Amino acid sequence: MIEAPSRIVVVGNGMAGQRLLAELDARGRANGVLAIGAEPHPAYNRILLSSVLAGEATLADIGLGDRDWYASRGIDLVTGDPVVAIDRAAKTIALASGRCESYGKLVLATGSRAIRLNLPGAERAVAFRDLSDIERLRAAKAGSTAVVIGGGLLGLEAAYGLAKRGVRVALVHLMDDLMERQLDAAAAKLLAREISARGIALHLGASTDRIEADAIVLRDGTRIPAALVVMAVGIMPETALATSAGLGCGRGVRIDDTLRTTDPEIHAFGECAEHRGACFGLVGPIWDQARALADILTGRAATYEGSSVATTLKVSGVALFSAGIVREAPGAETLVFSDPAQGVYRKLILREGRLEGAVLYGDTDGSSWYAAAIAERRDVSRWRDRIAFGAPVEPSKRAA
Ligand SMILES: Cc1cc2nc3c(=O)[nH]c(=O)nc-3n(C[C@H](O)[C@H](O)[C@H](O)COP(=O)(O)OP(=O)(O)OC[C@H]3O[C@@H](n4cnc5c(N)ncnc54)[C@H](O)[C@@H]3O)c2cc1C
């Protein structure tokens, strides 16, 4: 039996930190936990920032619990006061305000920060990461101009949200295909068609040279008017605190299957963590990690062995799903159903009868079944002839 630690301190009150508190609460162990966040407000649903920008959700919709939520569970919440140092020998942390706190078990849930390209004029660009960024984007007036740099999930959602507010948006992407990490070329072409149809001017295979006062200039000399510039070119795990405390870090804070860092008294999880060489940028894996970590912190035996991730895009009217591998690899079989006139494309990648990846565009029927089949490495060979058309109906369910 593992002994429950005396005082749990959670650094970072974002989606991961808040989820861990809820999981601890479900196990009757939230009372006495200290939660510390750098942002001025309690945790909110970061995923919904895209919907807030697009006017499809309000700020009131995105809260994950007000201060009463914490107080009523006996959680001591500190906001707007980042942790700046960890003294591992004394088992204490120092906050920016000068406050000092001791811990029994420390949990790092410091998330990620937006990557900023080192371009002339880059200081004018706004990121797409937190509430303060959204406030700046929401200030853009209808009819004004904006350029979004980055054609991944976040860049597309930023461009869509601004376009919905009546802003004239151009999107610049370095690669020839949008969302190239989640889509193959065929699905990316359909997506580009749909995005262009929403009035967003696409500049693909284009590289930004500099940002000027009222425009951005591409390497080929093209000048695109931009009262607002949004940089959505990726994220980096926030490891500064862990690094300065001497914890093992690669791209993220290195953790083992018990979500422990190289110091057994310090755990890490969420976007700041690197597990078996992988860093995650979606909440699915973070929920798995939060469950396992809450078990471990409450003295139960549990391990986290990794997650498979699935992506959807929050652009209304665009049905898109991607999970597992998306490009053919040696030894893999590909099943494709394509109806370009209807804007439908469905591709499944199988290996030795098991589903390894799925890209669905225009018709995402069966996506949760595919996601589960990929995660569980299910043998799907008996449905091979119909699996590209949707989740197969298993005989017992058909009879029912
Ligand atoms: C616009 C947008 C849309 C998204 N859409 C999706 C989606 O559709 N689906 C999906 O799965 N994921 C989506 N994501 C990603 C998802 O939001 C993240 O995976 C998730 O928020 C990560 O949780 P986290 O707690 O690890 O990091 P965060 O939510 O970033 O929280 C980390 C917190 O720690 C704080 N912090 C950092 N350093 C310190 C310190 N030293 N002391 C105290 N506090 C500190 C930060 O200020 C932050 O509040 C989206 C993200 C964005 C920005």
Side-chain angles (χ1 to χ4, degrees):
M1 177 80 181
I2 307 153
E3 210 175 70
S6 49
R7 189 189 202 201
I8 300 170
V9 176
V10 182
V11 181
N13 187 231
M15 295 196 73
Q18 204 278 346
R19 187 69 165 214
L20 176 64
L21 297 175
E23 292 284 356
L24 288 171
D25 182 44
R27 290 160 182 75
R29 182 65 178 85
N31 190 25
V33 174
L34 172 62
I36 304 167
E39 292 185 66
H41 19 248
Y44 52 87
N45 187 337
R46 200 173 298 284
I47 292 176
L48 287 180
L49 290 179
S50 305
S51 310
V52 171
L53 178 64
E56 293 163 1
T58 66
L59 288 178
D61 297 328
I62 70 171
L64 290 173
D66 58 14
R67 290 183 191 276
D68 285 346
W69 185 91
Y70 295 84
S72 62
R73 287 161 175 80
I75 300 167
D76 186 8
L77 174 67
V78 176
T79 56
D81 196 0
V83 174
V84 292
I86 304 170
D87 182 336
R88 288 163 51 198
K91 292 182 87 177
T92 59
I93 50 171
L95 281 64
S97 61
R99 183 169 163 176
C100 184
E101 296 284 346
S102 61
Y103 63 85
K105 291 282 178 194
L106 187 66
V107 178
L108 301 181
T110 50
S112 296
R113 62 192 147 79
I115 292 175
R116 295 189 79 85
L117 297 176
N118 189 14
L119 296 173
E123 62 286 349
R124 190 163 83 76
V126 183
F128 189 43
R129 180 71 197 172
D130 62 27
L131 259 177
S132 65
D133 299 326
I134 299 302
E135 290 309 335
R136 290 177 71 187
L137 301 192
R138 289 197 330 153
K141 300 257 180 317
S144 66
T145 53
V147 171
V148 176
I149 304 174
L153 182 113
L154 288 187
L156 284 163
E157 292 187 2
Y160 166 72
L162 288 166
K164 261 205 89 188
R165 305 184 83 81
V167 176
R168 290 183 288 138
V169 184
L171 185 144
V172 175
H173 189 46
L174 190 60
M175 313 301 284
D176 292 331
D177 292 326
L178 294 170
M179 290 183 72
E180 74 282 350
R181 286 167 58 198
Q182 292 91 3
L183 301 180
D184 65 357
K189 298 266 169 313
L190 291 174
L191 176 62
R193 194 169 79 183
E194 186 82 44
I195 294 297
S196 304
R198 293 174 189 231
I200 296 167
L202 289 180
H203 298 260
L204 300 176
S207 171
T208 308
D209 183 64
R210 61 186 183 278
I211 300 173
E212 296 184 342
D214 56 356
I216 74 154
V217 181
L218 303 182
R219 287 259 162 84
D220 66 3
T222 307
R223 208 166 173 280
I224 312 171
L228 171 71
V229 178
V230 182
M231 216 182 260
V233 292
I235 53 171
M236 268 303 279
E238 183 53 80
T239 58
L241 187 61
T243 306
S244 63
L247 299 174
C249 292
R251 184 174 160 80
V253 186
R254 287 210 178 95
I255 52 168
D256 64 13
D257 287 2
T258 60
L259 300 129
R260 279 185 176 83
T261 66
T262 44
D263 179 334
E265 305 303 326
I266 305 179
H267 293 269
F269 81 114
E271 278 189 358
C272 69
E274 178 182 319
H275 175 260
R276 298 189 187 181
C279 295
F280 296 109
L282 295 167
V283 293
I286 297 176
W287 293 173
D288 297 339
Q289 293 178 350
R291 265 192 307 276
L293 183 52
D295 279 343
I296 290 164
L297 290 170
T298 52
R300 296 166 172 87
T303 53
Y304 171 75
E305 291 174 8
S307 310
S308 79
V309 289
T311 308
T312 56
L313 183 70
K314 298 189 294 301
V315 170
S316 67
V318 176
L320 174 163
F321 169 85
S322 159
I325 61 164
V326 299
R327 285 188 176 76
E328 293 76 353
E333 264 189 289
T334 307
L335 304 179
V336 176
F337 171 77
S338 171
D339 183 348
Q342 296 294 321
V344 172
Y345 176 80
R346 297 169 64 87
K347 177 168 95 173
L348 301 181
I349 297 179
L350 291 99
R351 185 187 298 271
E352 290 165 7
R354 296 182 198 283
L355 195 57
E356 283 201 330
V359 177
L360 309 177
Y361 190 90
D363 170 9
T364 55
D365 193 29
S367 55
S368 38
W369 190 88
Y370 296 138
I374 294 167
E376 291 161 17
R377 300 190 41 74
R378 255 182 234 161
D379 185 345
V380 298
S381 43
R382 77 193 113 147
W383 299 300
R384 196 184 177 289
D385 55 337
R386 58 211 131 104
I387 195 175
F389 303 101
V393 180
E394 298 178 36
S396 56
K397 291 189 183 147
R398 202 183 292 140

